[in-house]
Amino acid sequence: MTIFYQENNQQVMIGEATLNLIFSHQDITLLSLIEQLHIMADDEQDDERLLGIWQARKWLQTFSKGWHSDSRPDWLEALTSQADRRVATVSLADPASRRPSR
């Protein structure tokens, strides 16, 4: 397994956890992502995916342990500072429900 593959697998697992949170109408935070990955790991049977979930959790947990902001990737710092300033609401309503009534 290459480093690129491992990093890509982590990103896929974080993306899957993010989508699970969105579809269940939950806030997407560092802690909720870590918890969602834990839930995913409990149900996972595939060793390769389980490893990706574990690596993703481990990577995210480094940010929850008080790393300095200059140690974070630029994209994570930008998202974190935006989340601190405002709460974003994602609506996944059925487009048909947005049609004007007659």
XYZ file of all heavy atoms in Angstrom:
834
model
N 0.839 -1.174 0.000
C 0.000 0.000 0.000
C 0.891 1.246 0.000
O 1.791 1.362 0.807
C -0.877 0.004 1.248
C -2.322 0.184 0.930
S -3.378 0.306 2.392
C -3.408 -1.346 2.994
N 0.609 2.183 -0.887
C 1.411 3.398 -0.958
C 0.848 4.458 -0.016
O -0.299 4.382 0.425
C 1.407 3.957 -2.390
O 0.082 4.364 -2.720
C 1.918 2.924 -3.387
N 1.677 5.458 0.270
C 1.230 6.572 1.124
C 0.067 7.292 0.454
O -0.896 7.663 1.106
C 2.407 7.518 1.416
C 3.418 6.816 2.310
C 1.925 8.807 2.060
C 4.687 7.592 2.541
N 0.163 7.486 -0.879
C -0.925 8.153 -1.603
C -2.236 7.395 -1.431
O -3.273 7.985 -1.169
C -0.580 8.285 -3.089
C -1.714 8.833 -3.901
C -2.026 10.180 -3.876
C -2.493 7.994 -4.683
C -3.077 10.687 -4.616
C -3.539 8.482 -5.431
C -3.836 9.837 -5.390
N -2.190 6.084 -1.545
C -3.405 5.278 -1.406
C -3.980 5.410 0.003
O -5.180 5.547 0.182
C -3.117 3.809 -1.724
C -4.329 2.940 -1.520
C -5.322 2.876 -2.494
C -4.507 2.228 -0.345
C -6.455 2.105 -2.310
C -5.638 1.447 -0.150
C -6.605 1.399 -1.133
O -7.731 0.643 -0.933
N -3.112 5.379 1.011
C -3.571 5.489 2.392
C -4.230 6.842 2.637
O -5.282 6.922 3.274
C -2.418 5.279 3.364
C -1.917 3.859 3.398
C -0.676 3.701 4.249
O -0.022 4.657 4.608
N -0.348 2.458 4.570
N -3.614 7.927 2.144
C -4.189 9.259 2.321
C -5.511 9.375 1.579
O -6.462 9.959 2.085
C -3.210 10.326 1.852
C -2.029 10.488 2.777
C -1.025 11.508 2.274
O -1.243 12.092 1.196
O -0.016 11.708 2.958
N -5.577 8.818 0.373
C -6.809 8.854 -0.401
C -7.910 8.077 0.314
O -9.055 8.525 0.365
C -6.570 8.294 -1.806
C -7.768 8.505 -2.701
O -8.347 9.580 -2.734
N -8.139 7.468 -3.426
N -7.565 6.930 0.891
C -8.531 6.112 1.615
C -9.063 6.879 2.835
O -10.250 6.833 3.132
C -7.890 4.787 2.021
C -8.907 3.740 2.390
O -10.080 3.831 2.074
N -8.442 2.714 3.087
N -8.181 7.593 3.529
C -8.608 8.415 4.656
C -9.597 9.477 4.196
O -10.620 9.705 4.850
C -7.405 9.135 5.288
C -6.513 8.276 6.121
C -5.320 9.060 6.589
O -4.239 8.860 6.065
N -5.485 9.925 7.538
N -9.286 10.127 3.097
C -10.159 11.179 2.576
C -11.522 10.622 2.185
O -12.554 11.251 2.429
C -9.498 11.881 1.394
C -8.269 12.661 1.790
C -7.467 13.144 0.602
O -7.809 12.890 -0.553
N -6.362 13.822 0.881
N -11.533 9.449 1.605
C -12.796 8.803 1.234
C -13.631 8.522 2.483
O -14.837 8.771 2.516
C -12.540 7.515 0.424
C -13.809 6.683 0.278
C -11.970 7.859 -0.945
N -12.994 8.021 3.531
C -13.709 7.714 4.777
C -14.248 8.989 5.431
O -15.380 9.014 5.916
C -12.797 6.970 5.758
C -12.372 5.590 5.303
S -13.766 4.499 4.956
C -13.539 4.211 3.221
N -13.473 10.061 5.423
C -13.945 11.338 5.980
C -15.104 11.867 5.140
O -16.094 12.362 5.681
C -12.791 12.355 6.068
C -11.782 11.908 7.136
C -13.315 13.758 6.388
C -10.488 12.700 7.161
N -15.002 11.732 3.831
C -16.099 12.156 2.956
C -17.363 11.354 3.200
O -18.466 11.911 3.246
N -17.220 10.057 3.373
C -18.378 9.204 3.650
C -19.015 9.566 4.995
O -20.237 9.656 5.111
C -17.954 7.741 3.642
C -19.101 6.772 3.719
C -18.638 5.326 3.575
O -17.754 5.046 2.747
O -19.194 4.480 4.304
N -18.183 9.813 5.997
C -18.697 10.219 7.308
C -19.428 11.561 7.205
O -20.491 11.746 7.806
C -17.560 10.313 8.320
N -18.877 12.467 6.422
C -19.506 13.778 6.219
C -20.875 13.629 5.575
O -21.857 14.238 6.016
C -18.606 14.679 5.353
O -17.341 14.821 5.994
C -19.232 16.041 5.137
N -20.962 12.808 4.542
C -22.250 12.584 3.880
C -23.258 11.932 4.819
O -24.443 12.288 4.815
C -22.062 11.739 2.618
C -21.395 12.455 1.449
C -21.115 11.478 0.316
C -22.234 13.620 0.970
N -22.799 10.983 5.633
C -23.706 10.372 6.608
C -24.279 11.417 7.554
O -25.471 11.385 7.879
C -22.974 9.285 7.418
C -22.668 8.048 6.617
O -23.266 7.804 5.569
N -21.720 7.267 7.087
N -23.448 12.352 7.997
C -23.918 13.415 8.896
C -24.893 14.348 8.176
O -25.916 14.745 8.743
C -22.734 14.211 9.448
C -21.824 13.456 10.416
C -20.558 14.255 10.691
C -22.562 13.146 11.710
N -24.583 14.697 6.940
C -25.467 15.578 6.162
C -26.832 14.925 5.979
O -27.869 15.552 6.223
C -24.842 15.922 4.795
C -23.662 16.872 4.988
C -25.886 16.541 3.858
C -22.845 17.098 3.724
N -26.849 13.667 5.557
C -28.108 12.984 5.294
C -28.927 12.735 6.554
O -30.142 12.566 6.483
C -27.879 11.680 4.533
C -27.415 11.901 3.111
C -26.405 11.121 2.578
C -27.973 12.885 2.313
C -25.970 11.320 1.283
C -27.544 13.098 1.013
C -26.538 12.310 0.497
N -28.262 12.722 7.701
C -29.005 12.567 8.959
C -29.238 13.915 9.641
O -29.638 13.962 10.798
C -28.282 11.596 9.895
O -27.008 12.094 10.223
N -29.002 15.007 8.889
C -29.282 16.380 9.348
C -28.564 16.722 10.651
O -29.130 17.344 11.537
C -30.791 16.616 9.496
C -31.548 16.340 8.244
N -31.525 17.179 7.155
C -32.309 15.281 7.884
C -32.263 16.669 6.182
N -32.756 15.505 6.593
N -27.304 16.302 10.756
C -26.492 16.598 11.936
C -25.438 17.636 11.585
O -25.033 17.765 10.426
C -25.816 15.332 12.449
C -26.785 14.271 12.928
C -26.039 13.039 13.424
O -24.997 13.159 14.043
N -26.578 11.864 13.128
N -24.983 18.377 12.592
C -23.906 19.334 12.393
C -22.625 18.591 12.050
O -22.370 17.497 12.560
C -23.661 20.157 13.654
C -24.801 21.121 13.947
O -25.525 21.503 13.001
O -24.962 21.484 15.122
N -21.823 19.214 11.200
C -20.546 18.637 10.819
C -19.465 19.383 11.593
O -19.176 20.541 11.311
C -20.309 18.730 9.307
C -21.413 17.974 8.573
C -18.942 18.174 8.939
C -21.438 18.213 7.096
N -18.940 18.726 12.585
C -17.872 19.279 13.400
C -16.761 18.239 13.485
O -16.948 17.083 13.089
C -18.357 19.613 14.828
O -18.716 18.386 15.485
C -19.548 20.559 14.807
N -15.656 18.651 14.020
C -14.552 17.725 14.196
C -14.980 16.539 15.055
O -14.753 15.378 14.707
C -13.366 18.452 14.836
C -12.086 17.675 15.012
C -11.551 17.170 13.682
C -11.051 18.545 15.692
N -15.649 16.823 16.159
C -16.073 15.746 17.054
C -17.151 14.859 16.439
O -17.137 13.644 16.636
C -16.546 16.324 18.384
C -15.451 17.019 19.203
C -16.039 17.635 20.473
C -14.333 16.060 19.539
N -18.076 15.464 15.678
C -19.114 14.634 15.062
C -18.526 13.742 13.970
O -18.978 12.611 13.781
C -20.261 15.496 14.520
O -19.850 16.292 13.425
N -17.507 14.227 13.265
C -16.843 13.383 12.264
C -16.127 12.206 12.931
O -16.222 11.067 12.469
C -15.835 14.196 11.453
C -16.411 15.091 10.365
C -15.328 16.002 9.807
C -17.037 14.264 9.256
N -15.439 12.481 14.025
C -14.746 11.417 14.746
C -15.738 10.379 15.253
O -15.525 9.171 15.128
C -13.895 12.001 15.893
C -12.726 12.816 15.316
C -13.389 10.902 16.821
C -11.978 13.650 16.333
N -16.854 10.839 15.804
C -17.875 9.918 16.313
C -18.514 9.117 15.179
O -18.747 7.913 15.310
C -18.941 10.693 17.084
C -20.071 9.832 17.609
C -19.617 8.747 18.591
O -18.587 8.930 19.265
O -20.293 7.709 18.672
N -18.786 9.775 14.041
C -19.374 9.068 12.900
C -18.426 8.005 12.374
O -18.853 6.905 12.016
C -19.747 10.061 11.792
C -20.396 9.424 10.580
C -21.699 8.722 10.898
O -22.509 9.200 11.679
N -21.920 7.569 10.291
N -17.148 8.310 12.330
C -16.168 7.311 11.907
C -16.138 6.136 12.879
O -15.983 4.981 12.465
C -14.780 7.941 11.781
C -14.600 8.855 10.565
C -13.350 9.709 10.724
C -14.545 8.045 9.278
N -16.311 6.412 14.157
C -16.379 5.332 15.159
C -17.593 4.438 14.892
O -17.491 3.211 14.934
C -16.447 5.942 16.562
C -16.523 4.925 17.648
N -15.436 4.179 18.038
C -17.554 4.522 18.420
C -15.809 3.360 19.007
N -17.089 3.545 19.259
N -18.725 5.051 14.604
C -19.948 4.297 14.287
C -19.736 3.455 13.027
O -20.126 2.285 12.973
C -21.148 5.257 14.127
C -21.493 5.888 15.479
C -22.349 4.548 13.510
C -22.450 7.069 15.379
N -19.112 4.051 12.017
C -18.845 3.324 10.783
C -17.932 2.124 11.044
O -18.135 1.048 10.473
C -18.208 4.258 9.743
C -19.146 5.299 9.175
S -18.318 6.618 8.233
C -17.377 5.686 7.038
N -16.940 2.307 11.920
C -16.001 1.222 12.218
C -16.697 0.063 12.914
O -16.354 -1.099 12.671
C -14.858 1.750 13.090
N -17.675 0.368 13.749
C -18.402 -0.696 14.455
C -19.130 -1.627 13.495
O -19.286 -2.814 13.776
C -19.414 -0.099 15.437
C -18.753 0.458 16.682
O -17.574 0.140 16.943
O -19.423 1.230 17.396
N -19.592 -1.085 12.365
C -20.358 -1.872 11.402
C -19.521 -2.438 10.261
O -20.029 -3.203 9.446
C -21.481 -1.012 10.811
C -22.501 -0.578 11.841
O -22.672 -1.299 12.844
O -23.112 0.492 11.662
N -18.260 -2.045 10.176
C -17.427 -2.413 9.022
C -16.870 -3.832 9.149
O -16.391 -4.225 10.202
C -16.285 -1.406 8.862
C -15.506 -1.573 7.587
C -16.375 -1.503 6.349
O -17.071 -0.490 6.158
O -16.369 -2.485 5.573
N -16.919 -4.566 8.040
C -16.385 -5.924 7.982
C -15.095 -5.998 7.163
O -14.287 -6.893 7.373
C -17.426 -6.872 7.366
C -18.719 -6.937 8.147
C -18.520 -7.500 9.534
O -17.795 -8.461 9.723
N -19.148 -6.884 10.526
N -14.917 -5.060 6.244
C -13.762 -5.064 5.351
C -12.539 -4.477 6.065
O -12.574 -3.348 6.540
C -14.091 -4.236 4.104
C -12.964 -4.255 3.099
O -12.900 -5.188 2.290
O -12.146 -3.304 3.133
N -11.463 -5.260 6.135
C -10.263 -4.835 6.860
C -9.625 -3.582 6.263
O -9.127 -2.731 6.991
C -9.230 -5.956 6.893
C -9.642 -7.100 7.800
O -10.516 -6.890 8.666
O -9.091 -8.210 7.645
N -9.639 -3.471 4.949
C -9.026 -2.320 4.292
C -9.785 -1.034 4.621
O -9.188 -0.002 4.922
C -8.977 -2.553 2.787
C -8.094 -1.587 2.051
C -7.892 -2.006 0.614
O -7.484 -3.161 0.373
O -8.154 -1.166 -0.260
N -11.110 -1.095 4.568
C -11.919 0.076 4.923
C -11.785 0.383 6.413
O -11.722 1.545 6.808
C -13.390 -0.157 4.559
C -13.674 -0.025 3.073
C -15.134 -0.254 2.740
N -16.068 0.461 3.578
C -16.508 1.708 3.357
N -16.074 2.376 2.313
N -17.368 2.267 4.161
N -11.717 -0.644 7.223
C -11.549 -0.452 8.662
C -10.232 0.263 8.962
O -10.189 1.168 9.807
C -11.610 -1.796 9.377
C -11.774 -1.771 10.882
C -13.004 -0.979 11.296
C -11.859 -3.185 11.429
N -9.186 -0.102 8.250
C -7.906 0.575 8.410
C -8.019 2.046 8.001
O -7.514 2.930 8.686
C -6.824 -0.128 7.584
C -5.440 0.524 7.605
C -4.871 0.548 9.027
C -4.505 -0.210 6.648
N -8.708 2.314 6.890
C -8.905 3.695 6.440
C -9.689 4.516 7.454
O -9.372 5.690 7.704
N -10.699 3.908 8.050
C -11.497 4.592 9.072
C -10.626 4.898 10.282
O -10.643 6.010 10.815
C -12.723 3.739 9.468
C -13.711 3.656 8.299
C -13.402 4.308 10.714
C -14.808 2.627 8.483
N -9.837 3.920 10.713
C -8.967 4.119 11.868
C -7.951 5.230 11.606
O -7.714 6.091 12.457
C -8.246 2.808 12.202
C -7.292 2.959 13.339
C -7.579 2.924 14.667
C -5.882 3.181 13.247
N -6.446 3.106 15.408
C -5.379 3.269 14.556
C -5.000 3.310 12.178
C -4.038 3.486 14.829
C -3.652 3.519 12.452
C -3.200 3.603 13.765
N -7.349 5.226 10.411
C -6.368 6.249 10.068
C -7.011 7.630 9.998
O -6.418 8.613 10.445
C -5.695 5.913 8.735
C -4.783 4.719 8.821
C -4.289 4.259 7.464
O -4.956 4.437 6.449
N -3.113 3.633 7.455
N -8.224 7.707 9.455
C -8.929 8.982 9.379
C -9.249 9.506 10.782
O -9.071 10.700 11.070
C -10.208 8.831 8.559
N -9.713 8.620 11.660
C -9.999 9.025 13.050
C -8.738 9.514 13.743
O -8.744 10.534 14.428
C -10.603 7.869 13.841
C -12.046 7.585 13.488
C -12.644 6.558 14.417
N -12.845 7.179 15.733
C -12.678 6.548 16.884
N -12.300 5.300 16.906
N -12.894 7.167 18.003
N -7.656 8.772 13.563
C -6.394 9.145 14.194
C -5.944 10.523 13.697
O -5.513 11.368 14.482
C -5.336 8.083 13.891
C -4.006 8.338 14.550
C -3.039 7.213 14.257
C -1.676 7.536 14.844
N -0.695 6.499 14.523
N -6.055 10.770 12.399
C -5.656 12.049 11.820
C -6.527 13.178 12.366
O -6.016 14.216 12.771
C -5.725 11.973 10.297
C -5.250 13.220 9.616
C -3.954 13.608 9.434
C -6.073 14.217 9.037
N -3.928 14.805 8.773
C -5.210 15.204 8.520
C -7.452 14.384 8.903
C -5.675 16.338 7.866
C -7.922 15.523 8.255
C -7.039 16.478 7.752
N -7.842 12.971 12.393
C -8.743 14.008 12.909
C -8.512 14.267 14.394
O -8.605 15.405 14.854
C -10.206 13.609 12.667
C -10.690 13.683 11.229
C -12.093 13.090 11.114
C -10.673 15.114 10.714
N -8.204 13.229 15.143
C -7.986 13.395 16.580
C -6.764 14.255 16.875
O -6.713 14.907 17.914
C -7.873 12.036 17.270
C -9.195 11.334 17.373
C -9.091 9.898 17.860
O -8.030 9.290 17.801
N -10.201 9.356 18.323
N -5.800 14.297 15.969
C -4.646 15.163 16.199
C -5.077 16.625 16.266
O -4.460 17.411 16.973
C -3.559 14.996 15.116
O -4.088 15.373 13.860
C -3.033 13.585 15.074
N -6.130 16.987 15.552
C -6.612 18.367 15.555
C -7.446 18.679 16.785
O -7.582 19.818 17.182
C -7.407 18.668 14.277
C -6.563 18.555 13.048
C -6.699 17.474 12.199
C -5.599 19.501 12.759
C -5.900 17.360 11.072
C -4.798 19.403 11.637
C -4.949 18.316 10.794
N -8.014 17.653 17.396
C -8.826 17.881 18.591
C -7.963 17.953 19.849
O -8.460 18.287 20.915
C -9.885 16.790 18.741
O -9.283 15.550 19.039
N -6.684 17.657 19.726
C -5.792 17.666 20.892
C -5.052 18.978 21.041
O -4.044 19.041 21.723
C -4.811 16.508 20.810
C -5.522 15.178 20.915
C -4.591 14.029 20.919
C -5.437 12.787 20.919
N -4.922 11.629 21.401
N -5.526 20.041 20.414
C -4.963 21.360 20.618
C -3.727 21.688 19.821
O -2.894 22.444 20.272
N -3.616 21.148 18.624
C -2.501 21.545 17.777
C -2.611 23.024 17.498
O -3.701 23.581 17.406
C -2.547 20.794 16.458
C -1.859 19.478 16.484
C -1.644 18.681 17.568
C -1.318 18.791 15.374
N -1.018 17.543 17.205
C -0.799 17.580 15.855
C -1.230 19.066 14.032
C -0.186 16.653 15.031
C -0.633 18.139 13.214
C -0.107 16.955 13.712
N -1.513 23.682 17.313
C -1.520 25.104 16.978
C -2.099 25.289 15.591
O -1.915 24.452 14.714
C -0.103 25.678 17.023
C 0.506 25.562 18.384
N 0.063 26.303 19.446
C 1.507 24.779 18.857
C 0.772 25.994 20.515
N 1.656 25.067 20.182
N -2.784 26.430 15.391
C -3.446 26.652 14.106
C -2.454 26.681 12.948
O -2.811 26.360 11.832
C -4.254 27.951 14.138
O -3.389 29.050 14.351
N -1.184 27.054 13.187
C -0.227 27.060 12.094
C 0.190 25.650 11.679
O 0.843 25.460 10.665
C 1.001 27.898 12.437
C 1.729 27.405 13.680
O 1.188 26.558 14.412
O 2.850 27.894 13.906
N -0.210 24.637 12.441
C 0.086 23.258 12.085
C -1.011 22.654 11.224
O -0.831 21.584 10.668
C 0.229 22.403 13.354
O 1.281 22.873 14.133
N -2.136 23.311 11.152
C -3.256 22.778 10.378
C -3.093 23.119 8.906
O -2.568 24.177 8.565
C -4.575 23.392 10.857
C -4.955 22.996 12.240
C -6.250 23.648 12.606
N -6.626 23.263 13.955
C -7.734 23.640 14.531
N -8.578 24.425 13.912
N -8.016 23.250 15.747
N -3.599 22.262 8.048
C -3.614 22.619 6.625
C -4.466 23.874 6.423
O -5.399 24.131 7.180
C -4.265 21.407 5.950
C -4.200 20.305 6.947
C -4.139 20.942 8.298
N -4.132 24.657 5.409
C -4.841 25.915 5.163
C -6.349 25.722 5.028
O -7.132 26.498 5.548
C -4.294 26.594 3.903
C -2.875 27.081 4.093
O -2.462 27.286 5.254
O -2.184 27.262 3.080
N -6.769 24.639 4.328
C -8.201 24.435 4.109
C -8.913 24.145 5.419
O -10.035 24.590 5.637
C -8.450 23.324 3.087
C -7.964 21.981 3.527
C -6.758 21.421 3.269
C -8.665 21.025 4.328
N -6.659 20.185 3.850
C -7.802 19.904 4.504
C -9.931 20.997 4.910
C -8.190 18.787 5.233
C -10.300 19.874 5.636
C -9.435 18.795 5.789
N -8.250 23.425 6.336
C -8.879 23.107 7.611
C -8.963 24.349 8.490
O -9.957 24.576 9.162
C -8.120 21.988 8.320
C -8.723 21.510 9.643
C -10.147 20.998 9.434
C -7.864 20.438 10.260
N -7.936 25.161 8.466
C -7.942 26.402 9.236
C -9.068 27.316 8.759
O -9.785 27.912 9.559
C -6.588 27.108 9.128
C -6.498 28.367 9.950
C -6.681 28.102 11.440
O -6.288 27.044 11.929
O -7.251 28.989 12.104
N -9.239 27.421 7.444
C -10.297 28.271 6.900
C -11.671 27.754 7.307
O -12.540 28.534 7.719
C -10.184 28.333 5.373
N -11.888 26.452 7.214
C -13.181 25.882 7.603
C -13.444 26.047 9.092
O -14.562 26.358 9.509
C -13.245 24.402 7.233
C -13.370 24.085 5.750
C -13.309 22.582 5.535
C -14.645 24.648 5.180
N -12.418 25.845 9.904
C -12.574 25.965 11.351
C -12.920 27.388 11.738
O -13.810 27.622 12.551
C -11.280 25.506 12.066
O -11.003 24.172 11.677
C -11.436 25.572 13.569
N -12.239 28.361 11.146
C -12.519 29.751 11.499
C -13.905 30.167 11.015
O -14.596 30.922 11.696
C -11.443 30.682 10.943
O -11.441 30.658 9.540
N -14.348 29.661 9.877
C -15.699 29.959 9.401
C -16.740 29.355 10.330
O -17.742 29.986 10.642
C -15.912 29.421 7.985
C -15.194 30.196 6.921
C -15.367 29.561 5.558
O -16.066 28.567 5.397
N -14.709 30.129 4.564
N -16.498 28.138 10.767
C -17.450 27.465 11.651
C -17.526 28.170 12.989
O -18.587 28.214 13.620
C -17.043 26.007 11.852
N -16.432 28.745 13.441
C -16.431 29.474 14.701
C -17.259 30.753 14.609
O -17.820 31.207 15.597
C -15.002 29.838 15.128
C -14.224 28.613 15.581
O -14.852 27.575 15.868
O -12.984 28.700 15.643
N -17.327 31.345 13.425
C -18.038 32.614 13.249
C -19.525 32.452 12.955
O -20.312 33.331 13.206
C -17.390 33.408 12.118
C -16.031 33.967 12.479
C -15.578 34.934 11.427
N -15.496 34.288 10.126
C -14.368 34.045 9.477
N -13.235 34.387 10.001
N -14.379 33.455 8.309
N -19.889 31.336 12.386
C -21.296 31.169 12.011
C -21.672 29.702 11.963
O -20.829 28.846 11.902
C -21.570 31.813 10.663
C -20.824 31.161 9.533
C -20.998 31.910 8.237
N -19.967 31.405 7.342
C -20.204 31.030 6.117
N -21.393 31.137 5.617
N -19.243 30.565 5.369
N -22.948 29.471 11.972
C -23.460 28.111 11.862
C -24.124 28.004 10.502
O -24.984 28.795 10.151
C -24.483 27.807 12.977
C -25.088 26.437 12.784
C -23.825 27.938 14.332
N -23.684 27.024 9.750
C -24.252 26.819 8.422
C -25.342 25.759 8.496
O -25.205 24.763 9.189
C -23.163 26.379 7.451
N -26.414 26.010 7.796
C -27.502 25.047 7.738
C -27.595 24.518 6.321
O -27.613 25.277 5.371
C -28.834 25.710 8.124
O -28.685 26.290 9.407
C -29.964 24.707 8.118
N -27.622 23.224 6.204
C -27.732 22.582 4.911
C -29.126 22.005 4.805
O -29.563 21.246 5.657
C -26.676 21.465 4.765
C -26.847 20.755 3.440
C -25.290 22.037 4.913
N -29.831 22.390 3.758
C -31.170 21.873 3.553
C -31.146 20.896 2.391
O -30.697 21.232 1.306
C -32.130 23.014 3.251
O -33.393 22.506 2.927
N -31.622 19.713 2.639
C -31.676 18.691 1.606
C -33.128 18.360 1.271
O -33.484 17.234 1.023
C -30.937 17.442 2.069
C -29.449 17.637 2.333
C -28.849 16.367 2.915
C -28.719 18.021 1.074
N -33.965 19.399 1.251
C -35.382 19.203 0.979
C -35.578 18.734 -0.457
O -34.789 19.034 -1.344
C -36.139 20.500 1.205
N -36.645 18.019 -0.663
C -37.007 17.542 -1.986
C -37.303 18.750 -2.875
O -38.104 19.603 -2.513
C -38.238 16.642 -1.868
C -38.691 16.096 -3.204
O -37.917 16.167 -4.176
O -39.826 15.585 -3.261
N -36.651 18.868 -4.065
C -36.904 20.008 -4.945
C -38.377 20.159 -5.311
O -38.846 21.259 -5.519
C -36.065 19.703 -6.185
C -35.043 18.717 -5.743
C -35.650 17.962 -4.599
N -39.113 19.072 -5.339
C -40.536 19.154 -5.675
C -41.309 19.917 -4.609
O -42.320 20.554 -4.890
C -41.123 17.758 -5.836
N -40.826 19.907 -3.369
C -41.528 20.606 -2.301
C -41.321 22.113 -2.370
O -42.001 22.860 -1.686
C -41.063 20.086 -0.938
O -39.707 20.429 -0.733
N -40.421 22.569 -3.245
C -40.153 23.999 -3.361
C -41.017 24.662 -4.433
O -40.972 25.863 -4.598
C -38.691 24.221 -3.705
C -37.774 23.786 -2.606
C -36.358 24.121 -2.951
N -35.470 23.455 -2.018
C -34.252 23.081 -2.280
N -33.726 23.337 -3.454
N -33.515 22.479 -1.379
N -41.772 23.876 -5.170
C -42.609 24.432 -6.238
C -43.738 25.257 -5.619
O -44.318 24.881 -4.606
C -43.210 23.322 -7.075
C -42.180 22.567 -7.864
C -42.848 21.542 -8.749
N -41.819 20.738 -9.391
C -41.926 19.448 -9.614
N -43.007 18.794 -9.270
N -40.952 18.794 -10.205
N -44.032 26.392 -6.234
C -45.135 27.221 -5.708
C -46.468 26.499 -5.832
O -46.699 25.752 -6.794
C -45.095 28.477 -6.567
C -44.250 28.151 -7.760
C -43.401 26.966 -7.407
N -47.314 26.690 -4.852
C -48.636 26.058 -4.895
C -49.536 26.853 -5.809
O -49.410 28.048 -5.980
C -49.226 25.963 -3.502
O -49.311 27.256 -2.952
N -50.500 26.180 -6.386
C -51.416 26.840 -7.336
C -52.676 27.241 -6.666
O -53.222 26.781 -5.818
C -51.739 25.893 -8.477
C -50.503 25.591 -9.277
C -50.876 24.696 -10.408
N -49.629 24.285 -11.065
C -49.598 23.730 -12.203
N -50.684 23.478 -12.869
N -48.464 23.377 -12.753
